[in-house]
Amino acid sequence: MDSFRFMPEGCISKILSLTSPKDAGRSSAVSQTFMSAAESDVVWESFLPSDYKDIVSRSDSPMDFPSKKQLYFSLFNSPILLDGGKLSFSLDKKTGKKCYMVSARELVISWGDTPHYWVWSSRPDSRFSEVADLRFVYWHDMRGKIDTRLLSKRTKYVVYLVFKVAGGSYGLENANAFVRFIDCESNNEAEERASVVSISVKPGDNRHKRRVDGWLEIEMGNFFNDAGEDGDVEARLMETRRIFTKGGLIVQGMEFRPE
């Protein structure tokens, strides 16, 4: 007997909207009434970002889903391109919060427009139309930024360089990486606390994480996004002191992802 059959479905939907996607899914086993309520747009719209309509309107591809639940899981499983392919957006699989990747084309890369040093190419395994291939430089410097208003509030974010290395890569052993709020800290101040990272790949090297999309990622730094009122946050990777040749780095972008 369905002991919840006298409870209005709208009331159940409101209660479930205050829980989590996992809890809403589990509640479907309670009763037919809960199953119906757990599928409602009221529930799943509450799990979407408050600005999801604006985000979807910026998508490079049509986003037409018959239910908010389907939209949620689409964003959960498949990043979408925004603003002409400058950014990608998805919902983080662990937290359900907003995750953005800034494409290589939107990064500021020293010598990035000089074909002798960097070339731009397409790869079938990249979500963006172009990636940056490092041919040859003596020093490299790249930075990417995003407006904190776009990110989930009261959330700790980690920034990752998403990359691959070509066969025969060289000179990528060490680089400095840091993350800073542009309006709150100078480049020089941030560089003093930079961490040393390696983007070379050697057998047994566990400093990089292989992603489900086949690319590699390495942590550049982290920050706490409180109310989204700190302006732009910037991540920077640089090696300008050890002047020797470097090559073989392939950059897809920088990802700003909830911890």
Side-chain angles (χ1 to χ4, degrees):
M1 178 176 168
D2 187 351
S3 58
F4 296 95
R5 66 186 185 277
F6 298 119
M7 183 179 290
E9 184 177 312
C11 181
I12 296 174
S13 294
K14 181 62 177 178
I15 293 171
L16 293 179
S17 72
L18 302 175
T19 61
S20 69
K22 183 179 290 187
D23 290 333
R26 289 172 175 170
S27 71
S28 298
V30 173
S31 69
Q32 287 293 328
T33 305
F34 267 73
M35 181 181 294
S36 178
E39 296 290 318
S40 73
D41 281 351
V42 171
V43 172
W44 290 94
E45 187 166 28
S46 71
F47 301 144
L48 290 165
S50 59
D51 59 345
Y52 80 91
K53 291 182 180 178
D54 175 65
I55 294 170
V56 168
S57 72
R58 293 159 52 203
S59 173
D60 292 359
S61 301
M63 298 287 293
D64 186 17
F65 292 91
S67 72
K68 297 298 188 294
K69 181 179 180 179
Q70 288 177 298
L71 173 60
Y72 177 90
F73 279 103
S74 175
L75 295 173
F76 187 80
N77 293 311
S78 303
I80 60 173
L81 297 183
L82 306 179
D83 304 338
K86 296 178 181 179
L87 298 169
S88 75
F89 171 83
S90 62
L91 296 177
D92 179 61
K93 291 185 181 296
K94 289 195 304 181
T95 65
K97 295 186 177 183
K98 294 189 279 188
C99 177
Y100 285 91
M101 189 188 298
V102 180
S103 70
R105 266 298 184 190
E106 283 301 292
L107 303 180
V108 177
I109 302 176
S110 294
W111 311 106
D113 293 325
T114 306
H116 180 70
Y117 301 114
W118 289 86
V119 294
W120 295 89
S121 62
S122 61
R123 294 181 64 101
D125 56 355
S126 171
R127 67 184 60 175
F128 301 111
S129 61
E130 290 182 301
V131 299
D133 294 345
L134 174 59
R135 299 182 64 188
F136 167 88
V137 291
Y138 283 101
W139 56 268
H140 65 78
D141 187 358
M142 66 181 72
R143 62 183 79 189
K145 66 180 181 179
I146 195 167
D147 190 332
T148 55
R149 291 177 298 179
L150 298 177
L151 305 175
S152 295
K153 297 178 181 178
R154 292 173 291 281
T155 300
K156 184 177 180 180
Y157 275 84
V158 180
V159 187
Y160 298 91
L161 178 72
V162 181
F163 70 101
K164 286 187 174 184
V165 290
S169 61
Y170 54 93
L172 303 175
E173 287 76 18
N174 293 295
N176 289 337
F178 60 82
V179 176
R180 71 182 180 107
F181 293 109
I182 292 177
D183 294 336
C184 301
E185 187 177 23
S186 71
N187 266 306
N188 290 338
E189 291 171 331
E191 191 174 349
E192 289 179 359
R193 58 170 178 79
S195 58
V196 178
V197 300
S198 173
I199 45 182
S200 65
V201 177
K202 299 178 180 178
D205 192 339
N206 59 2
R207 288 173 292 182
H208 317 99
K209 177 182 177 183
R210 187 167 295 277
R211 299 158 51 94
V212 295
D213 59 10
W215 288 75
L216 299 172
E217 66 180 27
I218 193 165
E219 183 175 333
M220 300 177 63
N222 60 72
F223 63 96
F224 184 76
N225 187 43
D226 190 7
E229 298 175 349
D230 292 309
D232 289 344
V233 61
E234 178 188 72
R236 187 175 183 184
L237 182 77
M238 57 189 298
E239 172 50 282
T240 60
R241 296 178 179 177
R242 300 166 65 222
I243 309 300
F244 55 83
T245 56
K246 305 165 179 64
L249 176 64
I250 304 168
V251 178
Q252 182 175 188
M254 291 182 184
E255 186 167 70
F256 294 72
R257 190 169 77 221
E259 186 178 49

